[in-house]
């Protein structure tokens, strides 16, 4: 068993926004040379802030740009070059079922994908470079689209006996290239529903599904268990062998080889809404797992052990990681229910 690391979080800066928001992201938009903080707000506006240049707990976030989606409260946000014009595009989903794509600061396309809230967005990319934007909503609909066309759509669990009694809601999505014990790797969209099922989809078709110990509300890829604990440990670039599954009951389980390990990785005993990975700094190739949700803290785990936690002002709605001070290490940016955004540095 690896010895416990002595780590702690330091608050680099925090800011209370005047606008209510549900989701944040960090990235270089519209061919900028420096990254900015992108905030999806309840008034349907995406706000871009300059990130503070130095660590200052009272630093101000300078508003640079507002992007009007002309839609409802924003529930999901993703940054990616989906237009392949060489710059980062902004894709948002709102509570009215509309997906809006911004390119170079302008609305490129708005699509009404359903009559339900678009709570999840992922960009699915295959080995040949083809991609699609996958949207999941509270009505159990999955839609994959491109800026000017629809790729596929399906109803989650429509081909199962479960659909006869209840239409499941999409709780979380993850697009990843997964490896099996046979060494084969393919890209999948993983969808967790509110019926304790995890669905594996390819091109709109459910190719596999498994029962989960709890309703999965957050997922992320990484290396969480040792090679002795799992059947497969594929080290090819971009190929994932393990996925952390965060549950509404506070549990975290690890999935590998399309099976959920029966032993819990950890349990925070309160609903989880966010999971994120930080690279290993221990020398054992095991990543660090960030856990946040309906509690006023961010927990950090390594090898199933709680390494440290950081108190934050309120429950965490949204969380992302990025190297915002350009020191080669990723920081943690969290958005809380009281409209506070905090940047945390691990030391």
């Amino acid at each position: 068993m690896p010895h416990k690391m002595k780590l702690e979080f330091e608050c680099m800066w925090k800011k209370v926004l005047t606008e209510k928001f549900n989701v944040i992201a960090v990235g270089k938009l519209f061919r900028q040379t420096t990254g900015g903080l992108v905030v999806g707000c309840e008034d349907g506006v995406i706000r871009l802030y300059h990130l503070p240049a130095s660590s200052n707990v009272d630093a101000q976030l300078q508003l640079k740009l507002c992007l009007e989606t002309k839609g409802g409260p924003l529930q999901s946000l993703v940054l990616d070059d989906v237009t392949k014009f060489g710059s980062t595009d902004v894709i948002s989903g709102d509570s009215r079922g509309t997906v809006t794509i911004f390119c170079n600061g302008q609305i490129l396309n708005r699509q009404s994908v359903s009559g339900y809230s678009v709570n999840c967005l992922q960009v699915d990319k295959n080995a040949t470079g083809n991609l699609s934007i996958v949207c999941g909503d509270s009505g159990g609909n999955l839609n994959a689209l491109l800026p000017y066309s629809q790729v596929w759509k399906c109803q989650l669990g429509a081909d199962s006996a479960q659909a006869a009694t209840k239409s499941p809601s999409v709780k979380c999505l993850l697009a990843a290239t997964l490896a099996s014990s046979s060494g084969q790797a393919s890209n999948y969209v993983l969808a967790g529903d509110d019926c304790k099922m995890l669905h594996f989809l390819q091109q709109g078709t459910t190719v596999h599904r498994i029962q989960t110990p709890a309703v999965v509300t957050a997922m992320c890829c990484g290396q969480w268990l040792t090679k002795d604990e799992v059947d497969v440990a594929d080290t090819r670039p971009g190929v994932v062998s393990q996925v952390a599954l965060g549950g509404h009951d506070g549990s975290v389980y690890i999935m590998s080889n399309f099976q959920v390990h029966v032993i819990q990785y950890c349990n925070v005993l309160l609903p989880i809404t966010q999971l994120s990975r930080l690279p290993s700094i221990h020398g054992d190739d095991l990543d660090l797992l960030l856990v946040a949700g309906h509690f006023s803290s961010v927990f950090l785990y390594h090898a199933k052990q709680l390494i440290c936690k950081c108190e934050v002002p309120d429950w965490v709605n949204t969380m992302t990681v990025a190297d915002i001070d350009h020191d080669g290490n990723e920081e943690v940016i969290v958005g809380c229910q009281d409209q506070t955004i905090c940047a945390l540095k691990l030391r």
Side-chain angles (χ1 to χ4, degrees):
M1 177 69 65
H3 67 276
K4 192 171 181 178
M5 292 180 287
K6 294 182 178 180
L7 298 174
E8 62 181 5
F9 283 111
E10 174 189 348
C11 183
M12 298 175 63
W13 48 260
K14 63 180 178 179
K15 172 67 175 176
V16 180
L17 301 186
T18 57
E19 303 83 10
K20 291 184 178 180
F21 64 90
N22 295 311
V23 61
I24 60 174
V26 173
K28 297 179 181 179
L29 299 188
F30 319 136
R31 306 189 184 188
Q32 293 176 332
T33 56
T34 59
L37 178 67
V38 186
V39 182
C41 302
E42 290 199 355
D43 59 2
V45 178
I46 297 171
R47 291 174 170 86
L48 174 63
Y49 294 88
H50 277 299
L51 289 169
S54 59
S55 295
N56 181 351
V57 72
D58 297 316
Q60 297 297 307
L61 291 174
Q62 180 184 353
L63 180 63
K64 179 180 180 181
L65 183 66
C66 292
L67 304 175
E68 297 273 358
T69 67
K70 309 183 189 301
L74 299 178
Q75 306 297 322
S76 50
L77 188 70
V78 67
L79 310 180
D80 208 304
D81 182 14
V82 296
T83 60
K84 300 186 179 180
F85 290 160
S87 62
T88 302
D89 306 309
V90 182
I91 305 102
S92 66
D94 69 19
S95 61
R96 300 173 186 171
T98 302
V99 174
T100 306
I101 303 172
F102 287 88
C103 180
N104 291 323
Q106 303 294 322
I107 291 180
L108 179 68
N109 186 256
R110 294 180 73 242
Q111 296 186 39
S112 178
V113 298
S114 78
Y116 298 89
S117 177
V118 179
N119 298 325
C120 311
L121 284 174
Q122 288 280 290
V123 175
D124 181 29
K125 300 179 182 178
N126 63 22
T128 60
N130 296 320
L131 59 83
S132 60
I133 304 163
V134 183
C135 323
D137 66 33
S138 57
N141 302 296
L142 291 174
N143 287 269
L145 51 94
L146 293 172
Y148 292 111
S149 63
Q150 189 167 56
V151 181
W152 54 259
K153 64 184 301 183
C154 68
Q155 175 76 32
L156 196 64
D159 58 344
S160 69
Q162 172 194 66
T165 57
K166 179 182 179 182
S167 177
S169 173
V170 181
K171 304 302 291 185
C172 59
L173 287 179
L174 179 68
T177 301
L178 300 180
S180 67
S181 58
S182 64
Q184 296 181 336
S186 295
N187 64 302
Y188 299 87
V189 174
L190 279 62
D193 67 19
D194 59 349
C195 301
K196 297 185 180 180
M197 295 295 293
L198 184 62
H199 307 257
F200 300 77
L201 296 100
Q202 290 183 316
Q203 295 299 312
T205 300
T206 300
V207 296
H208 187 57
R209 61 170 60 92
I210 58 175
Q211 189 83 35
T212 55
V215 173
V216 177
T217 51
M219 293 184 280
C220 70
C221 302
Q223 188 74 22
W224 318 111
L225 303 178
T226 65
K227 295 179 180 179
D228 294 334
E229 297 175 283
V230 295
D231 295 330
V232 58
D234 199 315
T235 59
R236 286 173 290 174
V239 175
V240 174
S241 60
Q242 299 178 27
V243 177
L245 309 175
H248 186 265
D249 65 350
S251 63
V252 176
Y253 288 86
I254 306 302
M255 184 202 73
S256 66
N257 194 22
F258 302 91
Q259 297 293 327
V260 178
H261 285 249
V262 294
I263 300 175
Q264 287 185 9
Y265 183 86
C266 64
N267 197 324
V268 298
L269 303 178
L270 290 167
I272 294 170
T273 60
Q274 305 288 322
L275 292 179
S276 291
R277 166 192 172 272
L278 284 177
S280 172
I281 59 174
H282 191 58
D284 59 2
D285 296 327
L286 292 183
D287 294 319
L288 304 173
L289 180 65
L290 292 158
V291 182
H294 291 180
F295 39 92
S296 302
S297 301
V298 176
F299 294 93
L300 183 70
Y301 286 86
H302 174 264
K304 304 178 186 177
Q305 301 296 315
L306 178 63
I307 302 303
C308 65
K309 73 173 185 177
C310 180
E311 300 292 333
V312 292
D314 207 338
W315 290 3
V316 176
N317 280 344
T318 177
M319 177 170 65
T320 188
V321 296
D323 182 9
I324 60 176
D325 60 359
H326 311 294
D327 67 346
N329 298 313
E330 292 182 320
E331 286 74 48
V332 183
I333 305 94
V334 297
C336 303
Q337 282 197 348
D338 66 350
Q339 300 163 227
T340 301
I341 295 181
C342 302
L344 310 175
K345 190 172 186 66
L346 191 62
R347 297 190 182 279

